[in-house]
Amino acid sequence: MIAINKNRHWIFLVFFWSLLGITIWAQMIEDYDFLTATIQAILVLISSAVLAHILSDVILPKALKQNKMSSFAVQSVVVVLLLAFCLSLIYIVFSDSVIRRKAYPEETDVDSLHFLWSRFYGNIPSAILICGTACGLRFYQEHNVIERNHAQLQQVHLEAQIKILQDQINPHLMFNVLNHIHILMQSNVKLASDLLVQFSDILRYQLYECNKEYVPLHLEIKYLKDLIAVEETRWGNELEVKSKWNIEDGQLQIVPLLLVPLIENAFKHVSRLPNQKGYVHLSCEQINHQLNFKIENSYTEQYKIPSKNQGLGLENVKKRLEIQYPEKYKLDIHKTDSDFTVEVVLDLK
């Protein structure tokens, strides 16, 4: 893409200078013979190209990098005046008394100095146009480079931000499960072994799949199912866990670990009233390119455990949705005196 932009820039420059040279030659041929007009047009073109190049390709980029545009304005005036003077010198070298009288018919005798300064003032607009066009092209090119670098920097920043959000998930889940396995090893070795096998699949997915920008939907769903299975094993008969899955096309792509905090929150904040089981109900349905994910858990403020990290998981999900699915998601959070429900609708196109 960069090479294409550079090629376009050079093509436009060649076209611009060629058109300018032809225009100058067409003006010269009215007063001079073919050879004289050609030589004069070439000299005008060379002096214009050299000074415009110095201004647009040397002075301007340096001023932009150092943010010294006021100095650039002064230097631009100097270069414009110098170019106008050079054009005047070329005209006066090739002019004679006949051409001077033709240019200024109201004056019968125009001396060289008078003609030089007259041409100098008359050439200032042309010099401004030439230098302004060259600087405009260069400024446009530099602006594209700045925009491209800014976009790349923004992309790197977003990727780093997403990585931070993902890393907030893994340690929390890992330590919870490992701690539970440690406890089970002292009372139920077989259950601890089963939980360890289930947890190994979760770790394998996090280590080898989640470093990609997108993963197939069927892999993410398998991970979520493994996570639910681990939580079911951990809680045993203390919770009623129900999950419903309906996936039509498992090859659709989704960002990894996006929905994990919702599952973690549901099990972390589920409430169990005396003599009652708590519950976590989950449904995940994909139809066409739309994914509907809904999770509900029993909830009550009376038995709520205070936590400094309250709502961290939801904020995590909100930030990732805004970054990775802008205007392609819907997030609904509904809380009552007895339950807490989160529903996410994603467009996976």
Side-chain angles (χ1 to χ4, degrees), residues 110-297:
V110 182
D111 58 58
S112 299
L113 185 61
H114 183 191
F115 187 73
L116 173 66
W117 287 112
S118 298
R119 297 300 299 177
F120 172 73
Y121 291 122
N123 285 327
I124 289 178
S126 299
I128 293 175
L129 180 62
I130 293 170
C131 293
T133 302
C135 288
L137 292 173
R138 183 65 185 189
F139 184 82
Y140 178 76
Q141 186 182 24
E142 289 292 323
H143 177 73
N144 284 343
V145 171
I146 292 172
E147 286 293 317
R148 185 169 58 250
N149 291 340
H150 176 72
Q152 292 174 349
L153 183 63
Q154 189 176 34
Q155 180 65 27
V156 171
H157 173 72
L158 288 178
E159 290 174 357
Q161 189 174 359
I162 291 169
K163 185 68 171 62
I164 291 172
L165 293 174
Q166 287 183 348
D167 289 344
Q168 290 177 357
I169 301 168
N170 302 344
H172 177 264
L173 174 66
M174 183 186 304
F175 290 126
N176 277 351
V177 176
L178 289 177
N179 183 58
H180 192 72
I181 292 174
H182 172 71
I183 296 172
L184 284 176
M185 288 293 291
Q186 303 174 35
S187 57
N188 192 333
V189 177
K190 184 180 183 306
L191 185 59
S193 178
D194 293 339
L195 186 60
L196 188 59
V197 172
Q198 292 172 333
F199 188 55
S200 65
D201 292 335
I202 291 177
L203 289 180
R204 189 178 298 110
Y205 178 79
Q206 291 181 351
L207 290 173
Y208 299 110
E209 299 293 340
C210 294
N211 54 349
K212 303 173 185 176
E213 184 177 2
Y214 291 94
V215 296
L217 181 59
H218 71 90
L219 291 181
E220 183 73 5
I221 294 300
K222 182 182 182 304
Y223 170 79
L224 296 179
K225 288 180 178 179
D226 289 339
L227 183 60
I228 294 291
V230 168
E231 293 289 2
E232 281 188 277
T233 303
R234 285 178 59 201
W235 288 93
N237 295 325
E238 296 182 38
L239 285 182
E240 177 190 78
V241 180
K242 292 182 180 180
S243 56
K244 179 182 177 182
W245 310 89
N246 181 22
I247 305 299
E248 289 184 352
D249 184 3
Q251 296 304 318
L252 290 175
Q253 299 292 301
I254 187 173
V255 296
L257 304 179
L258 177 65
L259 303 173
V260 176
L262 302 181
I263 296 177
E264 283 189 327
N265 267 15
F267 283 97
K268 179 180 179 181
H269 300 293
V270 63
S271 63
R272 293 166 293 161
L273 296 175
N275 302 320
Q276 289 185 3
K277 276 189 176 182
Y279 66 86
V280 174
H281 296 165
L282 179 148
S283 67
C284 184
E285 184 178 30
Q286 174 261 314
I287 301 176
N288 296 325
H289 291 91
Q290 184 171 293
L291 180 71
N292 292 356
F293 181 89
K294 181 179 179 182
I295 188 164
E296 176 185 353
N297 62 276

Side-chain angles (χ1 to χ4, degrees), residues 2-16:
I2 297 175
I4 293 175
N5 289 335
K6 285 185 177 179
N7 290 336
R8 288 177 179 174
H9 176 72
W10 283 109
I11 291 173
F12 194 88
L13 282 180
V14 171
F15 174 78
F16 169 73

Side-chain angles (χ1 to χ4, degrees), residues 14-32 37-38 40-42 44-45 48 87 91 119 126 129-130:
V14 171
F15 174 78
F16 169 73
W17 290 115
S18 299
L19 182 63
L20 180 63
I22 294 172
T23 303
I24 294 171
W25 181 85
Q27 293 177 343
M28 298 295 181
I29 200 67
E30 296 179 358
D31 300 321
Y32 303 93
T38 302
Q40 195 172 179
I42 291 174
V44 169
L45 195 63
S48 299
L87 297 180
Y91 286 131
R119 297 300 299 177
S126 299
L129 180 62
I130 293 170

